[in-house]
Amino acid sequence: METADRHLLSTSVDPRLQRVQRHATEFHLLEQPEEWQTFEVFHQRRRGEHHVHVGSVHAPDAEMALVFAKEQFARRQQCASLWVVASAHIHSLGYQNEDMFATTTEKTYREASGYRLRHKIQAYKQSVQHESNS
Amino acid sequence: MYGGGYVFCEPDVHGQPDDPERLAEFEARIDRGEKIEPQDWMPYEYRRQLIRLIEQHAHSEIMGALPEGAWITRAPGFKRKLALIAKVQDEVGHAQLLYSAAETLGKSRADMVNDLLSGKSKYSNVFNYPAKTWADVTVIGFLIDAAAIVNQVANSKGSYGPYCRALERICYEESFHLKQGYDAFVALATGTKRQREMLQDAINRWYRPIIHFFGPPDNESVHSKQLMRWKVKMASNDEMRNQFLDAYVPKVLELGLTFPDPELRKDPQTGRWHYGDPDWAEFYRVINGDGPCNAERLSARRLAEENGRWIRQAIMNPQQKFTIPFA
């Protein structure tokens, strides 16, 4: 196995592997690898728009989270500003009460489209015109 | 890139049976085309297979960056080098997005990374083959990326919200990858005699891994049907392979290049592509660790992990604990 590994790495086209003469058997797994905190990332495309949730990054603190968020979410797309917030700090209503958002009762009184005036004005204008003609 | 040819686990017969009422609710939600979110109830098998799928996809992005990454120092010219660096960075970024999506299902990133490093987890078989020349890099950038896009576009219409959102971003970035790969491919194909020979040689070597890419032919197992019902698996291996061959074989042939398979042809009646026996035994051999580059890829990944340990420890804040991403 060892000889095979050495042979493999010396014939690899990968310059990083050519530089180091090591073989796979030297590697040891960490039993408890670093577990970083998770931060949710909010991205604002242009000034004036909302910050929109775009995903999460792992980082040891908020400062590093911003560095990673910039690499991850502002590398390709236009970006005016980024926020990060620790995932544990998010409070949510959750989906188990999803049905409470459903509009079951008539609620047009709180929507702009619930107030239609033009036909009344038209009817009024017509009646005034009719009177003046007669 | 680089999803495709996933190996799903065998159903776990010892798993907890699901509450039939909740299962019916869950399936009705999927039938209505709604997405499942991390906080929702989900069947035991759904969670298990999704972790496996998304984790494999993430590992494939990381391992897939290795054959191309090795060519950054020798890319022919400044423009190609810039494009290759940007692409490799994108692929590693895709892995981060996918690890986050998998984490929402409850497996920590550290566990996933360790399973890759120990050799326990699988990744796309295609990266266990060597990129011997620059022409190989153009074949990967054009044809393997194209194959991965076919797979990822299908998966982005799946049922699990965080995975779909990650894939939407990934697919957007992939369009540049495919275009720069095609550009480099066409540059060789329309170049000197020596360049064309180099490209043909690379196509000859990559043809079989590309056929293998979407995984073995469909088997109509009950298991696979359930995964399709739950929109974990969005299209059968053969459907995706056929879609890929249909779109990309003509693009290679029109450049006067060939494939090393005399049986490769489209049946004009059925619209299905027929190909010669690609030796599925080789596919299983490579996926189980015995491919031309399995040891080399793992070794490169382990080297990077070891070299980065000191800095991860240096910036570590021991008071902070891992939390599952919110969405």
Side-chain angles (χ1 to χ4, degrees), chain B residues 107-312:
Chain B
K107 182 167 179 180
S108 80
R109 185 169 311 200
D111 285 345
M112 289 188 266
V113 169
N114 262 1
D115 284 350
L116 174 65
L117 293 167
S118 72
K120 184 181 165 202
S121 289
K122 307 279 185 224
Y123 54 88
S124 187
N125 231 11
V126 80
F127 304 115
N128 287 320
Y129 291 85
K132 287 182 177 164
T133 70
W134 173 254
D136 294 57
V137 179
T138 73
V139 170
I140 295 172
F142 176 37
L143 295 176
I144 309 267
D145 267 67
I149 290 172
V150 167
N151 180 275
Q152 290 173 163
V153 168
N155 280 6
S156 73
K157 300 183 175 68
S159 62
Y160 190 56
Y163 186 43
C164 297
R165 289 192 286 272
L167 283 174
E168 269 169 36
R169 183 171 285 267
I170 290 172
C171 289
Y172 155 77
E173 297 187 355
E174 289 295 341
S175 53
F176 140 68
H177 298 179
L178 179 64
K179 214 55 199 284
Q180 68 86 33
Y182 193 27
D183 190 274
F185 185 94
V186 170
L188 292 185
T190 57
T192 63
K193 183 165 174 284
R194 178 78 193 87
Q195 284 175 316
R196 282 180 62 86
E197 282 168 5
M198 200 167 97
L199 183 58
Q200 185 61 60
D201 173 57
I203 294 169
N204 293 349
R205 282 182 287 108
W206 284 92
Y207 175 70
R208 187 176 281 179
I210 287 172
I211 292 290
H212 287 169
F213 183 84
F214 294 99
D218 302 339
N219 51 352
E220 287 299 308
S221 74
V222 179
H223 181 46
S224 184
K225 271 184 194 146
Q226 188 189 45
L227 291 176
M228 284 174 95
R229 157 109 223 249
W230 287 345
K231 295 188 186 166
V232 171
K233 197 174 164 63
M234 290 303 289
S236 78
N237 297 350
D238 283 340
E239 274 170 47
M240 287 190 285
R241 187 167 20 244
N242 200 65
Q243 199 187 332
F244 165 78
L245 292 172
D246 215 27
Y248 292 95
V249 167
K251 285 188 166 51
V252 174
L253 297 182
E254 74 176 358
L255 292 163
L257 298 158
T258 58
F259 290 101
D261 179 358
E263 292 180 55
L264 182 71
R265 65 187 153 74
K266 185 177 177 174
D267 184 333
Q269 246 93 62
T270 60
R272 305 293 293 184
W273 282 83
H274 175 78
Y275 49 87
D277 176 16
D279 187 7
W280 289 107
E282 178 186 320
F283 171 83
Y284 288 110
R285 219 163 37 239
V286 178
I287 211 150
N288 287 320
D290 193 19
C293 289
N294 297 54
E296 177 183 332
R297 299 284 179 247
L298 205 52
S299 187
R301 184 67 201 85
R302 288 170 167 181
L303 183 67
E305 163 69 23
E306 268 181 345
N307 287 347
R309 267 177 194 169
W310 71 273
I311 192 159
R312 283 195 303 277

Side-chain angles (χ1 to χ4, degrees), chain B residues 54-93:
Chain B
I54 304 172
E55 182 184 346
Q56 262 179 48
H57 192 166
H59 293 333
S60 297
E61 302 280 356
I62 291 274
M63 300 307 258
L66 295 173
E68 287 176 303
W71 278 91
I72 288 174
T73 53
R74 288 161 294 169
F78 191 56
K79 196 184 152 200
R80 298 268 181 241
K81 193 193 286 275
L82 277 177
L84 192 56
I85 291 171
K87 174 178 194 275
V88 166
Q89 191 191 17
D90 280 352
E91 307 298 7
V92 178

Side-chain angles (χ1 to χ4, degrees), chain A residues 12-13 15 17 22 27-30 34 36-38 40 54 56 58 60 71-72 75-76 92 95, chain B residues 37 74 89-90 93 96 100 103 109 114 131 173 296 303 306 309 312 315-316 320 322-323 326:
Chain A
S12 165
V13 294
L17 291 182
R22 75 193 283 282
F27 180 77
H28 300 288
L29 276 184
L30 290 181
E34 306 81 10
W36 288 353
Q37 205 185 350
T38 311
E40 303 296 326
V54 283
S56 62
H58 277 220
E71 265 327 281
Q72 182 69 282
R75 180 179 76 245
R76 293 277 297 264
S92 106
Y95 295 108
Chain B
E37 294 295 339
R74 288 161 294 169
Q89 191 191 17
D90 280 352
Q96 305 285 336
S100 289
E103 277 174 321
R109 185 169 311 200
N114 262 1
E173 297 187 355
E296 177 183 332
L303 183 67
E306 268 181 345
R309 267 177 194 169
R312 283 195 303 277
I315 61 175
M316 181 77 186
Q320 302 207 318
F322 167 73
T323 33
F326 192 72

Side-chain angles (χ1 to χ4, degrees), chain A residues 8-54:
Chain A
L8 170 107
L9 298 184
S10 61
T11 57
S12 165
V13 294
D14 189 336
R16 293 163 299 189
L17 291 182
Q18 285 166 359
R19 271 200 299 277
V20 285
Q21 288 300 311
R22 75 193 283 282
H23 45 87
T25 45
E26 281 169 16
F27 180 77
H28 300 288
L29 276 184
L30 290 181
E31 290 209 356
Q32 284 186 306
E34 306 81 10
E35 294 270 30
W36 288 353
Q37 205 185 350
T38 311
F39 291 83
E40 303 296 326
V41 181
F42 297 82
H43 169 266
Q44 187 193 37
R45 212 160 52 99
R46 273 189 226 110
R47 273 171 183 268
E49 293 182 359
H50 281 290
H51 283 72
V52 177
H53 179 253
V54 283

